[in-house]
Amino acid sequence: MAVNMLNIEGLERLDRQAPVVMLNLMRFHDRSQDGNGSGWDAYLRYSAITVPMIKARGGTLLWTGEAEAVALGPHDSSKWDFVALVYYPTVAAFLDMMTSESYEREADPHRVAGCAEHVIIATREAYSKFKMK
């Protein structure tokens, strides 16, 4: 599996049947590493491929937005460009997508080409105004 830095061991310690919202933090390359436009352009190609994969597993994109400024914390911390919240009905659904041959072959190359840094944090709901069920 070529999906770099995927923490399978950490995710497998979670309740694999519990719902999860993945907090995605992204910083883009100025130029796509595949030479095809900007890092943002590569991310858009990645999104066009992954959103149907997410939906096929019962997930959905909840929210995306541009990261504008550090409001609290070290002002020189990572400069994120974009944030996304993605719901999956189970941790297992996320793992299934991320470890699939089609994700590795079709989607991940665009993610790698576009993102200088990409952190995904698995979250468990403590409170939400959004109810998925």
Side-chain angles (χ1 to χ4, degrees):
M1 181 186 65
V3 178
N4 65 338
M5 300 176 60
L6 183 61
N7 183 8
I8 293 174
E9 184 178 308
L11 290 168
E12 286 182 338
R13 285 194 297 263
L14 303 177
D15 178 351
R16 290 176 54 95
Q17 298 311 309
V20 65
V21 172
M22 295 298 185
L23 167 64
N24 288 253
L25 303 170
M26 291 150 283
R27 184 170 50 83
F28 301 120
H29 293 293
D30 289 333
R31 302 294 309 153
S32 175
Q33 299 300 286
D34 62 9
N36 188 5
S38 67
W40 173 249
D41 293 332
Y43 180 75
L44 290 176
R45 291 189 296 275
Y46 168 77
S47 294
I49 295 166
T50 56
V51 168
M53 290 179 175
I54 292 165
K55 289 181 177 181
R57 289 164 175 84
T60 190
L61 192 60
L62 295 175
W63 186 90
T64 67
E66 294 180 22
E68 294 189 327
V70 174
L72 176 70
H75 299 185
D76 61 349
S77 63
S78 290
K79 305 282 191 238
W80 302 112
D81 294 319
F82 203 69
V83 177
L85 297 172
V86 184
Y87 167 84
Y88 294 86
T90 63
V91 172
F94 173 77
L95 277 168
D96 178 65
M97 184 187 82
M98 294 295 288
T99 59
S100 71
E101 184 179 317
S102 60
Y103 179 89
E104 183 177 344
R105 183 182 63 251
E106 299 167 23
D108 200 48
H110 298 293
R111 182 186 69 83
V112 171
C115 292
E117 191 171 5
H118 186 184
V119 175
I120 302 175
I121 301 169
T123 69
R124 181 175 38 143
E125 182 178 307
Y127 167 80
S128 176
K129 282 191 160 188
F130 305 112
K131 287 299 173 195
M132 297 308 300
K133 292 187 178 193

